[in-house]
Amino acid sequence: QVQLVESGGGLVQAGGSLRLSCAASGGTFSSYAMGWFRQTPGKEREFVAAIRWSGGITSYANSVKGRFIISRDNAENTVYLQMNSLKPEDTAVYYCAADPTWTWGPKQLEPTEYDYWGQGTQVTVSS
């Protein structure tokens, strides 16, 4: 069973930066596509970014493109989300997720593509 644990969330002023981490255990991390999603109360979970198992291919939501960077360290079984130029509308609970299907495509934007999820970490951006 794959376990994912996020960390790095917190309170930051608009324009600031945060780096989220997601540590994986219990599976073959290097064979998983990994994604970051976020959710606010009353709204559906929203795609933020995804990275292929080798790390060479990434995908971003338009709302974060140019500000957020997803990366991974397969030796450390960890995926990261560097968030820069944060805006109040980035406030949400951020979740990492693992897709073990060894495929990659537009479906990476869909929460249903991911089998394993972390518990989430709160990011709050004040104006």
Side-chain angles (χ1 to χ4, degrees), residues 23 30 48 108:
S30 60
V48 175
Q108 303 311 134

Side-chain angles (χ1 to χ4, degrees), residues 3-5 14 22 31 41 72 90 103 107-108 113 119 121:
Q3 293 187 332
L4 304 173
V5 179
C22 172
S31 66
R72 67 189 295 161
D90 294 319
T103 58
K107 58 183 174 55
Q108 303 311 134
E113 180 63 19
Q119 82 290 350
T121 186

Side-chain angles (χ1 to χ4, degrees), residues 60-73:
Y60 295 93
N62 288 335
S63 59
V64 307
K65 200 171 293 184
R67 299 189 297 123
F68 290 11
I69 300 172
I70 188 171
S71 62
R72 67 189 295 161
D73 184 338

Side-chain angles (χ1 to χ4, degrees), residues 40-86:
T40 54
K43 293 189 176 181
E44 293 187 353
R45 199 161 290 190
E46 174 191 28
F47 171 76
V48 175
I51 187 167
R52 206 178 185 196
W53 43 87
S54 63
I57 297 177
T58 57
S59 179
Y60 295 93
N62 288 335
S63 59
V64 307
K65 200 171 293 184
R67 299 189 297 123
F68 290 11
I69 300 172
I70 188 171
S71 62
R72 67 189 295 161
D73 184 338
N74 286 344
E76 295 295 328
N77 290 350
T78 302
V79 62
Y80 303 97
L81 185 68
Q82 177 67 43
M83 305 186 295
N84 302 320
S85 302
L86 282 161

